[in-house]
Amino acid sequence: MTLTPRDLGMNRTISRRDFFDGIAVSTLGSVVSGGTAEAARQAAPPPGPSGFRGGGPEALSVPHALRDGRFWQYAGPPEPTGESYDLVVVGGGLSGVSAAYEWRRRRPGASVLVLDNHDEIGGQARRAMFHRQSVRGRTGGAEAGLADAVMCDEESFGADTLVRLTGDWVSRLPLAARARDDLRRLRHDPPDWFPGLPAEAKQERLAGLTYSAFLLEVCGAHPEVERFCRSMSCPEWGYDTRALGAIDAWGTGYPGFGGLGLETDKPSRYNSPTVRKQWGIGDPDVYLFPEGNQALVRAMVNRMLPDPGSPDRAGDRVRFRLSSPVVSVRDGEGAASVAYFDGHRVRSVAAGSVVLACWSAVIPYLVPELPAAQREALGEAVRVPLVHASVRVRDWDAWRRAGVRRVRWTGAYWSLVELDPPERPGGPAEVHLLATPCRAELGPRAGAVAGRRELIRTPYEVLERTIREQLTRLLGPAGFDPARDVEGITVNRWGHGNAPEYCRPWHAFYPDGPFPADVARRRFGRIAIAGSDAAPAARADAAVTAAFRAVEELIE
């Protein structure tokens, strides 16, 4: 049954918010256009200064103008504010705030200015993240009979089939009989695919393959097995198994490796840094979409600012200047100069030291005097795009009737849909969705670039329609009505989402090096480089460690 925009509730008055890379561009009026998704994609104009928040290239206009060589054609020379600071931090995310905090800890009387292009402190720390989670102590979850499930969707298998992961769930999959047999074998009794090879050689073979290639070329699995497993890696990696290394799939417990006889008490030298770091750690008991890193950012900010409600108050030793994208950083004899755009003109401040805690790919445009090798290495940090959506629904009755809580989709736009049950029954609930635009078949780097371009061109209307359609496909049989039950939608598009991480088979130099990040993060006079790109890894601890390292370099 094809639902019209009115059936889906596209004409209803609800709260709608859209952000691009955390930057609020505008606010969407209460309704969106009611055309088809394809028509909206082709005809919808780019967002203007009013309407909805984010969702278009305007959100990155200054960085893109720098990249394209257009900014300085129209901007005047920097006008000094007359301000001078011991430290200027570029970037107000977790790494930037950590750098400011550590500097003040080591030099309590220092003056610090943090510049950020967002309109709120936190940067990527404000991004909602999916986590494996415990359901203990919650209203929903196992006690309410809710189970994890997989939607074998129309995009992959020609029709939607919801399969709860309980009992002999493989027998209920809409796969060919041989595909189901292959999946059972991979899960329960896989052979040694590389007989006669020592463990190191087996790991080296895995390091040269993606997980999809392992399934198809090594295991000879039915193609429907690969299609069923493809989206398994999306929540953790931001791309599907056509880009996930087989060595990391082995390291995180994917099907098919049990017969290789590899030791499980330690990781392989070929495993990515995150897999190695998390080796042997069981799934933590964390709740869905916790405040997480933003709570850490807020705690540090509250300790540094006398009045967090006035982050840029004259006379304070620490100041945060928001909506101020940095456009130039120059090292000089007596001090560095940091220039930013305040929305009207370019202003500059003097700095005794500078920590760049922004995206590495932006740094060559801010500091063009960097050595060519360092500029090239910084450009290697291509971030993986992500889209998170939060939907407020009237109640969660349809979820209880369907008996599901967390649903992986095998091929639809939103690869994960998850319920966050309310603390008390009967009230509104939050539903969270994840999409991974990376074109994984191209590899993480090229796929991220292609996916980001597509994400920038996608109108908000298309995203809302896909959200409503997938919720209806999932819960419609259990009584869900998108026009009646959806009360609000927030979309967070992270065109520059996960920091890149060295992993096989895409980085042949890993794990022996040399690593581009070692060159990229070199100190340049009074300028040090932080941020998770400098690790590189999409982890909070990596962002904090990079900040502390940058401070240490400048203070030593």
Side-chain angles (χ1 to χ4, degrees), residues 342-415:
D342 68 0
H344 304 284
R345 53 184 173 168
V346 179
R347 310 297 302 276
S348 66
V349 299
S353 297
V354 180
V355 170
L356 300 179
C358 52
W359 301 330
S360 287
V362 175
I363 293 175
Y365 303 101
L366 305 181
V367 194
E369 295 85 3
L370 289 173
Q374 189 170 7
R375 289 166 53 85
E376 181 180 357
L378 286 162
E380 291 291 318
V382 177
R383 287 176 164 244
V384 177
L386 299 169
V387 189
H388 297 95
S390 179
V391 181
R392 181 180 174 88
V393 293
R394 189 181 64 166
D395 56 47
W396 55 296
D397 291 348
W399 292 85
R400 285 186 289 191
R401 286 190 287 266
V404 297
R405 176 183 60 89
R406 177 182 173 100
V407 181
R408 176 175 69 87
W409 294 64
T410 55
Y413 184 79
W414 299 95
S415 59

Side-chain angles (χ1 to χ4, degrees), residues 60-92:
L60 299 173
S61 58
V62 172
H64 283 177
L66 284 171
R67 178 199 64 189
D68 299 338
R70 295 180 286 107
F71 181 82
W72 294 109
Q73 295 177 13
Y74 304 99
E79 301 177 18
T81 65
E83 298 169 285
S84 180
Y85 297 89
D86 297 314
L87 174 69
V88 172
V89 179
V90 179

Side-chain angles (χ1 to χ4, degrees), residues 73-436:
Q73 295 177 13
Y74 304 99
E79 301 177 18
T81 65
E83 298 169 285
S84 180
Y85 297 89
D86 297 314
L87 174 69
V88 172
V89 179
V90 179
L94 177 59
S95 194
V97 172
S98 298
Y101 188 85
E102 176 67 4
W103 190 278
R104 287 277 296 176
R105 186 188 70 82
R106 299 178 66 157
R107 295 185 174 179
S111 59
V112 178
L113 173 67
V114 180
L115 295 165
D116 195 88
N117 60 338
H118 296 82
D119 58 2
E120 184 181 352
I121 299 170
Q124 297 270 32
R126 297 184 292 124
R127 189 178 74 205
M129 296 298 293
F130 281 87
H131 297 272
R132 297 185 184 276
Q133 61 192 285
S134 166
V135 296
R136 291 182 295 180
R138 302 303 298 271
T139 303
E143 295 86 352
L146 305 186
D148 288 356
V150 175
M151 176 66 87
C152 298
D153 50 47
E154 179 181 4
E155 290 83 350
S156 302
F157 299 104
D160 289 339
T161 303
L162 179 64
V163 179
R164 298 174 76 238
L165 301 182
T166 59
D168 182 18
W169 57 266
V170 174
S171 65
R172 302 194 298 272
L173 294 175
L175 277 60
R178 188 203 137 192
R180 291 195 298 271
D181 290 342
D182 286 351
L183 183 57
R184 288 191 186 94
R185 186 186 190 204
L186 291 167
R187 296 182 70 238
H188 301 298
D189 189 28
D192 185 349
W193 307 106
F194 309 123
L197 289 182
E200 175 73 15
K202 291 179 180 179
Q203 293 174 357
E204 188 173 1
R205 290 284 298 274
L206 294 178
L209 297 164
T210 66
Y211 183 57
S212 286
F214 170 77
L215 292 175
L216 296 172
E217 299 171 13
V218 175
C219 305
H222 191 285
E224 289 184 354
V225 172
E226 187 277 332
R227 198 66 186 88
F228 173 78
C229 295
R230 185 178 294 179
S231 62
M232 289 172 57
S233 59
C234 290
E236 290 79 16
W237 295 89
Y239 46 72
D240 67 44
T241 58
R242 292 173 295 178
L244 175 67
I247 191 67
D248 285 329
W250 163 74
T252 46
Y254 282 48
F257 303 100
L260 292 176
L262 298 175
E263 296 182 14
T264 58
D265 60 340
K266 63 180 180 180
S268 165
R269 63 188 296 267
Y270 297 108
N271 280 129
S272 65
T274 291
V275 172
R276 293 176 61 85
K277 184 178 182 64
Q278 296 177 349
W279 194 270
I281 299 177
D283 286 348
D285 288 346
V286 293
Y287 291 143
L288 178 68
F289 278 68
E291 190 181 23
N293 298 340
Q294 181 64 1
L296 176 58
V297 168
R298 182 176 294 111
M300 290 188 287
V301 170
N302 288 344
R303 290 197 174 196
M304 289 188 288
L305 294 181
D307 180 8
S310 301
D312 194 15
R313 189 172 63 182
D316 287 350
R317 301 301 291 172
V318 179
R319 300 171 69 174
F320 284 78
R321 193 159 296 165
L322 304 175
S323 300
S324 301
V326 171
V327 295
S328 173
V329 180
R330 297 287 189 275
D331 191 19
E333 288 189 15
S337 176
V338 181
Y340 62 93
F341 183 62
D342 68 0
H344 304 284
R345 53 184 173 168
V346 179
R347 310 297 302 276
S348 66
V349 299
S353 297
V354 180
V355 170
L356 300 179
C358 52
W359 301 330
S360 287
V362 175
I363 293 175
Y365 303 101
L366 305 181
V367 194
E369 295 85 3
L370 289 173
Q374 189 170 7
R375 289 166 53 85
E376 181 180 357
L378 286 162
E380 291 291 318
V382 177
R383 287 176 164 244
V384 177
L386 299 169
V387 189
H388 297 95
S390 179
V391 181
R392 181 180 174 88
V393 293
R394 189 181 64 166
D395 56 47
W396 55 296
D397 291 348
W399 292 85
R400 285 186 289 191
R401 286 190 287 266
V404 297
R405 176 183 60 89
R406 177 182 173 100
V407 181
R408 176 175 69 87
W409 294 64
T410 55
Y413 184 79
W414 299 95
S415 59
L416 189 65
V417 179
E418 186 163 7
L419 170 71
D420 184 12
E423 293 296 336
R424 290 178 295 180
E430 293 290 320
V431 177
H432 304 286
L433 300 92
L434 169 72
T436 55

